[in-house]
């Protein structure tokens, strides 16, 4: 049986970061510095510690800068690049990157957010459920910015709610474990949104939410990016004393 170490990861690293441009204007947002290093480097550190071996970076905006900064390896990780010549959205970007995937499942992460999670437990849950897809979900105090995820009592995804009323709720943490074959069935070269086009079609087909403990941060806005140094410092302090 395959393990998380044999699972390829895809990081969505192609976004321009328009909302962040007032504070990060000379690079793609995945290269925005947190504690003196690109956020993407911290994400790769985390995946290396989780035992993964291959990561495919889905790049588009300023792709060559990402390639120059990150290179072909990151510690023990082999780094591959999937380059969009035109914007394909999250779904289209994952579909293109899947051409380089060799594993039965793929672990997908958003490159502009960071969330602590137990990859082995996520993989075990996904395997036990024989899931088509499993999304990491997390409870946050202000879910209105992200939109909510509604799950059934047996943790199947029931629906996605658009950004709405303020207050706490479950959100998509930007962590997906997906059957590679299901992604390869999507049309190639077509702009697609995972959230709007792909995930709704998965509902009712073995599509689950898996609670992750966090912590979670999304650096997509200047006010959240301003908190990133303190966030990551505290996370690294904690994780140095506790296994991820």
């Amino acid at each position: 049986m395959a393990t998380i170490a044999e699972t390829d990861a895809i990081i969505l690293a192609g976004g321009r970061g328009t909302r962040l441009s007032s504070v990060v204007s000379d690079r793609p947002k995945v290269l925005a510095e947190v504690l003196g290093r690109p956020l993407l480097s911290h994400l790769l550190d985390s995946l290396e510690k989780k035992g993964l071996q291959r990561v495919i970076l889905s790049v588009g905006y300023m792709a060559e800068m990402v390639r120059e900064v990150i290179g072909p390896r990151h510690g023990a990780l082999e780094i591959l690049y999937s380059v969009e010549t035109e914007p394909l959205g999250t779904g289209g970007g994952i579909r293109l990157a899947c051409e380089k995937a060799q594993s039965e499942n793929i672990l997908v992460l958003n490159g502009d957010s960071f969330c602590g999670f137990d990859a082995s437990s996520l993989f075990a849950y996904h395997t036990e459920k024989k899931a088509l897809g499993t999304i990491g979900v997390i409870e946050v105090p202000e879910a209105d910015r992200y939109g909510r995820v509604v799950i059934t009592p047996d943790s199947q995804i029931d629906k996605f709610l658009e950004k709405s009323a303020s207050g706490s709720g479950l959100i998509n943490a930007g962590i997906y474990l997906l059957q590679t074959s299901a992604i390869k069935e999507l049309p190639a070269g077509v702009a697609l949104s995972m959230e709007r086009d792909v995930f709704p079609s998965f509902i009712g087909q073995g599509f689950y939410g898996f609670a992750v403990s966090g912590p979670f941060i999304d650096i997509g806005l200047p006010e959240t990016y301003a908190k990133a140094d303190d966030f990551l410092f505290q996370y690294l302090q904690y994780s140095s004393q506790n296994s991820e």
Side-chain angles (χ1 to χ4, degrees):
M1 182 181 294
T3 65
I4 190 65
E6 299 168 274
T7 300
D8 293 339
I10 294 173
I11 298 180
L12 295 171
R16 184 170 188 142
T18 305
R19 294 176 300 175
L20 201 59
S21 60
S22 62
V23 290
V24 180
S25 60
D26 62 341
R27 65 196 68 190
K29 59 183 173 180
V30 296
L31 296 184
E33 289 200 350
V34 180
L35 293 181
R37 298 173 65 216
L39 177 64
L40 181 54
S41 294
H42 293 291
L43 284 170
L44 293 170
D45 287 349
S46 177
L47 291 180
E48 183 182 12
K49 289 176 183 175
K50 295 178 195 305
L52 278 80
Q53 299 176 17
R54 296 176 80 246
V55 178
I56 303 159
L57 298 183
S58 174
V59 293
Y61 176 67
M62 300 183 80
E64 283 308 308
M65 179 182 285
V66 178
R67 195 191 296 268
E68 288 171 11
V69 170
I70 301 300
R73 296 202 68 84
H74 182 95
L77 295 173
E78 178 186 4
I79 308 296
L80 306 175
Y81 292 85
S82 172
V83 183
E84 296 178 21
T85 55
E86 58 185 37
L88 292 174
T90 51
I94 293 171
R95 172 64 179 85
L96 180 63
C98 253
E99 294 296 327
K100 297 180 181 292
Q102 299 176 357
S103 54
E104 180 181 353
N105 296 288
I106 50 168
L107 175 67
V108 181
L109 302 180
N110 285 339
D112 60 354
S113 62
F114 190 101
C115 183
F117 70 102
D118 184 330
S120 295
S121 294
L122 171 62
F123 187 85
Y125 181 86
H126 178 82
T127 303
E128 176 192 346
K129 295 291 188 181
K130 297 184 171 74
L132 176 70
T134 305
I135 293 182
V137 295
I138 189 168
E139 179 109 13
V140 296
E142 298 176 5
D144 51 303
R145 178 186 154 200
Y146 305 97
R148 289 169 167 78
V149 181
V150 179
I151 61 175
T152 65
D154 66 347
S155 297
Q156 293 198 55
I157 302 289
D158 182 52
K159 57 187 169 183
F160 297 90
L161 300 177
E162 293 293 329
K163 302 172 186 179
S164 56
S166 60
S168 64
L170 279 181
I171 67 164
N172 171 357
I175 301 163
Y176 318 134
L177 192 57
L178 308 168
Q179 287 186 15
T180 306
S181 59
I183 299 303
K184 287 187 174 179
E185 288 177 2
L186 299 174
V190 176
L192 295 168
S193 163
M194 289 301 288
E195 299 80 1
R196 292 188 299 274
D197 301 320
V198 180
F199 286 158
S201 71
F202 284 2
I203 292 173
Q205 300 189 60
F207 189 33
Y208 290 87
F210 177 81
V212 296
S213 58
F216 171 84
I217 192 170
D218 171 356
I219 67 160
L221 297 174
E223 54 266 36
T224 53
Y225 178 53
K227 301 174 183 177
D229 278 354
D230 286 343
F231 168 91
L232 197 61
F233 177 78
Q234 292 179 33
Y235 175 79
L236 293 175
Q237 288 281 95
Y238 173 82
S239 62
S240 69
Q241 302 168 23
N242 301 272
S243 60
E244 284 197 302

